[in-house]
Amino acid sequence: EANSALTPDQVYQILATTSQDMTDRFSIDGPPPLVELDPIDNGVGYDFDSGHGFVDAYQALGAVPTP
């Protein structure tokens, strides 16, 4: 527990700002390797395909302010 005083909104903001952008779609159907599909339109930042992106727990924990 890095900081139990964080509000849910603060946790959300930390996760949103430290996530890794996802800009390409991949198919997971069938055997490996993954097949790259079309790029995500306007894939930089928040989008409806991947939200804020892939959660980077290491970066998120590093962004948590000390109590």
Side-chain angles (χ1 to χ4, degrees), residues 16-37:
T17 57
T18 58
S19 63
Q20 300 297 313
D21 241 346
M22 299 174 74
T23 57
D24 294 313
R25 292 183 185 99
F26 290 88
S27 171
I28 58 172
D29 293 333
L34 297 178
V35 177
E36 185 173 351
L37 303 174

Side-chain angles (χ1 to χ4, degrees), residues 19-65:
S19 63
Q20 300 297 313
D21 241 346
M22 299 174 74
T23 57
D24 294 313
R25 292 183 185 99
F26 290 88
S27 171
I28 58 172
D29 293 333
L34 297 178
V35 177
E36 185 173 351
L37 303 174
D38 297 330
I40 296 172
D41 295 333
N42 192 24
V44 178
Y46 180 84
D47 57 76
F48 290 108
D49 285 289
S50 64
H52 289 288
F54 189 77
V55 171
D56 186 335
Y58 183 79
Q59 292 295 326
L61 284 174
V64 172

